[in-house]
Amino acid sequence: MSIRKYIPDFITSLNLLCGALGIVCAMDGRVDLAFFLMLAAAVFDFLDGLAARLLGAYSELGKELDSLSDVVSFGVLPSLMLVQMMRACSFSNSLVCLVPLLLAVFSGLRLAKFNVDERQHDSFLGLPTPLCAIMAGSMAYFVAVHPSTFLSTWASGPVFVPVLVLVLCALLVSEIPMFSFKFGGGKASDSKMKTKRIAMLIASALVIATVAVLKLNWSLAVLLICTVYIIKNCIYAVFKV
């Protein structure tokens, strides 16, 4: 019996393990460690798909396991990180601090929608769950390591984080086209897609350079890159670019 077909599922399981460990860290107040585990989960999420393509080891089990793992690593984990961030910043256990849990619900809806939507092979409709999670996680990490910044002040209030969460939830289940970095098979739109990817890479390089020059924390670059990605795609959708 060849073990080759089980390799992608094993990698997916590592994604799930990282998500579960991240939840433990978040509940213990170690949002910084939780974010590193989320990033590790994202790496495994990329590698399982790559391994499946290279080995030709696709399976329905792998598809379902991938979605379940993503719900944990990119749905529940970032939600709890934001909950802990709000509680730490506001010194409160108010019900408002539980609003970020909506992100877990809508991430689950997003993943279920993606599984049954045949239109999302080379691009996305709605905000990809991992990117949403990394955006939320990078903000929580930045606040955790720099508790005296403007983001900490915003997070301590009852408005900023809940509004941000509601916007992200809407984007997750929206029909807004969002480009991916998956390379398709020579479609007519490939040239336009390539231009968008190059523009995004240039914007990301500028953000990284600016953060480095200003000697700011690297997580702020991650947060800004995710923000730029969302804004660019919304602009493309409005002007039908």
Side-chain angles (χ1 to χ4, degrees):
M1 181 179 65
S2 173
I3 64 170
R4 185 177 65 175
K5 67 177 182 179
Y6 297 109
I7 293 176
D9 293 346
F10 173 73
I11 298 174
T12 305
S13 298
L14 293 177
N15 169 5
L16 178 56
L17 178 62
C18 287
L21 289 172
I23 289 172
V24 173
C25 291
M27 295 301 292
D28 283 343
R30 293 303 308 271
V31 173
D32 51 344
L33 290 180
F35 184 53
F36 285 119
L37 286 163
M38 180 193 292
L39 293 178
V43 172
F44 289 127
D45 186 49
F46 170 78
L47 291 177
D48 64 0
L50 179 62
R53 288 191 293 273
L54 292 176
L55 299 174
Y58 296 100
S59 69
E60 288 300 315
L61 173 64
K63 179 180 178 181
E64 298 302 324
L65 180 61
D66 185 68
S67 292
L68 291 171
S69 300
D70 286 355
V71 168
V72 174
S73 299
F74 309 127
V76 179
L77 176 54
S79 297
L80 290 177
M81 290 174 68
L82 290 180
V83 168
Q84 292 294 81
M85 180 190 73
M86 288 192 71
R87 286 177 170 175
C89 291
S90 64
F91 303 103
S92 168
N93 287 320
S94 167
L95 290 177
V96 175
C97 296
L98 299 180
V99 172
L101 294 179
L102 288 173
L103 209 57
V105 177
F106 279 81
S107 294
L109 291 172
R110 158 71 192 174
L111 289 163
K113 177 183 176 183
F114 181 81
N115 282 348
V116 300
D117 194 338
E118 296 297 326
R119 300 171 294 170
Q120 302 190 55
H121 292 298
D122 300 320
S123 60
F124 303 109
L125 290 176
L127 183 63
T129 310
L131 189 137
C132 177
I134 290 173
M135 181 178 182
S138 61
M139 182 172 66
Y141 176 88
F142 183 79
V143 170
V145 298
H146 294 287
S148 300
T149 61
F150 66 99
L151 277 178
S152 302
T153 303
W154 293 353
S156 64
V159 176
F160 176 71
V161 176
V163 169
L164 175 64
V165 167
L166 292 177
V167 170
L168 290 176
C169 287
L171 289 171
L172 282 168
V173 296
S174 72
E175 291 285 308
I176 298 175
M178 298 201 176
F179 65 87
S180 75
F181 285 89
K182 298 178 182 179
F183 291 89
K187 295 183 179 180
S189 60
D190 277 358
S191 177
K192 184 184 294 185
M193 189 71 70
K194 186 182 295 184
T195 301
K196 292 179 180 180
R197 291 167 179 159
I198 293 173
M200 185 64 213
L201 290 173
I202 293 173
S204 299
L206 291 173
V207 168
I208 293 170
T210 302
V211 169
V213 168
L214 296 177
K215 297 181 179 180
L216 302 172
N217 187 274
W218 61 273
S219 60
L220 186 60
V222 177
L223 175 59
L224 291 175
I225 288 171
C226 292
T227 304
V228 169
Y229 174 84
I230 293 172
I231 293 173
K232 285 174 71 69
N233 279 287
C234 289
I235 292 174
Y236 292 148
V238 170
F239 292 99
K240 302 186 185 302
V241 177

